[in-house]
C-alpha cells in the first residue's frame, strides 16, 4: 500500500518555497517586529522583509539554475541585505544547504531533509546556540528531527513536511518562558522570559513555507 514517493525537490520547487517564505514574512513582519520590540531592538520584521524582498528580486530563472546555485543566491542576498544577527544566520543556513545539495538537478525527500539539517547545523556553527537558548534554533532543531522521523517511518514528503512545520511551531511556542542566552535578548537576562522569540517565529515560517515544495499548484 505504501507507494514510493517520487516527489522531486528541484529549482522550481525551491523557488516556490522561498517565494512562500517571503510572502509569509511580508504578511507577518509587524508581528516579528513587535516581538523584537519586547526583547530586542524592534527590527526583526524589517530585517527579514528587506532581505526577502531582495531575495525575490534576485531569484534566478529556475529553468536555467541548479538547486545549489539558487540556494547560494538566496544566501548571498540575505547576507548582503539583512543587518543584524539574523542575516548572517539565515545566510549561513542557505549556504550550507547549497553545499550539501551539490551539483544535482533535484533532491528526493531524504536528500532535502539532509540539506535542511546541514543548514541548521550551519546556524549552530555560526551562532553557537544550544537548545533552550531562546533562538531560531529552538524552532529549527525539532523541525529537522520531525522531518527525519516522519521520512524514516515511510511518510510521503508532503506529510513529513507538515510534521516538521508542527514541530517548528511547537518549538517556537516553547521559547516564550525561556530566558535568552544568545543575541540581544540575552542582555535582558530574566526579563526576556515571557516573550516569544522573534527569530524562532520567523524560523517557524520558513518551515511552514516548505508546504509549497510539494504543491506546484500554489502560485506557479
Ligand atoms: P538583531 O538581534 O541583531 O537585531 P534580528 O532582530 O534580526 O537581529 O534577529 C534576532 C533573532 O536572531 C533572535 O530572535 C534569535 O532568534 C536570533 N539569534 C540571535 N543570536 C543568535 C545566535 N547566536 N544563534 C541563533 N540565533 C540567534
Ligand atoms: Mg533585532
Amino acid at each position: 500500500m505504501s507507494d514510493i514517493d517520487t516527489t522531486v525537490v528541484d529549482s522550481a520547487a525551491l523557488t516556490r518555497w522561498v517565494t512562500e517564505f517571503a510572502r509569509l514574512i511580508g504578511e507577518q513582519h509587524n508581528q516579528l517586529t513587535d516581538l523584537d520590540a519586547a526583547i530586542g531592538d524592534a527590527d526583526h520584521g524589517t530585517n527579514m522583509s528587506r532581505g526577502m524582498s531582495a531575495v525575490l528580486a534576485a531569484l534566478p530563472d529556475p529553468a536555467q539554475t541548479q538547486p545549489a546555485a539558487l540556494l547560494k543566491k538566496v544566501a548571498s542576498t540575505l547576507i548582503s541585505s539583512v543587518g543584524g544577527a539574523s542575516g548572517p544566520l539565515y545566510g549561513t543556513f542557505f549556504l550550507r544547504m547549497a553545499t550539501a545539495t551539490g551539483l544535482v538537478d533535484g533532491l528526493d525527500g531524504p536528500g532535502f531533509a539532509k540539506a535542511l539539517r546541514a543548514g541548521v547545523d550551519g546556524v549552530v556553527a555560526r551562532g553557537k546556540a544550544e537548545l533552550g537558548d531562546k533562538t531560531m534554533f529552538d524552532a529549527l532543531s525539532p523541525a529537522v528531527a520531525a522531518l527525519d522521523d516522519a521520512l524514516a517511518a515511510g511518510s510521503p514528503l508532503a506529510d513529513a513536511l507538515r510534521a516538521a512545520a508542527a514541530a517548528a511551531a511547537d518549538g517556537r511556542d516553547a521559547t516564550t518562558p525561556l530566558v535568552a542566552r544568545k543575541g540581544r535578548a540575552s542582555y535582558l537576562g530574566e526579563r526576556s522570559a515571557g516573550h516569544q522569540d522573534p527569530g524562532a517565529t520567523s524560523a517557524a515560517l520558513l518551515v511552514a513555507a516548505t508546504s509549497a515544495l510539494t504543491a506546484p499548484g500554489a502560485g506557479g
Side-chain angles (χ1 to χ4, degrees), residues 44 47-48 74-75 77-94 126 136:
H44 189 57
N47 282 343
M48 293 304 295
V74 174
T77 306
L78 286 173
I79 290 167
S80 63
S81 66
V82 182
S86 56
L89 289 165
Y90 276 108
T92 302
F93 168 83
F94 282 105
R126 175 110 204 181
M136 58 176 73

Side-chain angles (χ1 to χ4, degrees), residues 74-215:
V74 174
S76 61
T77 306
L78 286 173
I79 290 167
S80 63
S81 66
V82 182
S86 56
L89 289 165
Y90 276 108
T92 302
F93 168 83
F94 282 105
L95 198 59
R96 293 288 186 98
M97 266 196 94
T99 307
T101 296
L103 299 177
V104 298
D105 291 328
L107 298 165
D108 60 6
F112 177 77
K114 208 174 137 203
L116 198 72
R117 182 174 284 281
V120 175
D121 288 348
V123 170
V124 172
R126 175 110 204 181
K128 310 279 182 278
E130 292 175 23
L131 262 186
D133 281 354
K134 197 180 181 99
T135 71
M136 58 176 73
F137 182 58
D138 290 334
L140 294 172
S141 174
V144 290
L147 181 59
D148 285 348
D149 288 352
L151 291 173
S155 294
L157 181 58
D159 294 348
L161 292 171
R162 265 192 290 278
D170 287 348
R172 170 202 66 204
D173 293 347
T175 63
T176 299
L178 298 174
V179 172
R181 287 192 294 249
K182 284 283 180 299
R184 274 177 203 285
S186 67
Y187 308 157
L188 292 181
E190 299 287 333
R191 279 182 292 137
S192 62
H195 303 278
Q196 185 175 303
D197 180 61
T201 307
S202 60
L205 296 179
L206 177 71
V207 182
T210 60
S211 63
L213 286 171
T214 58

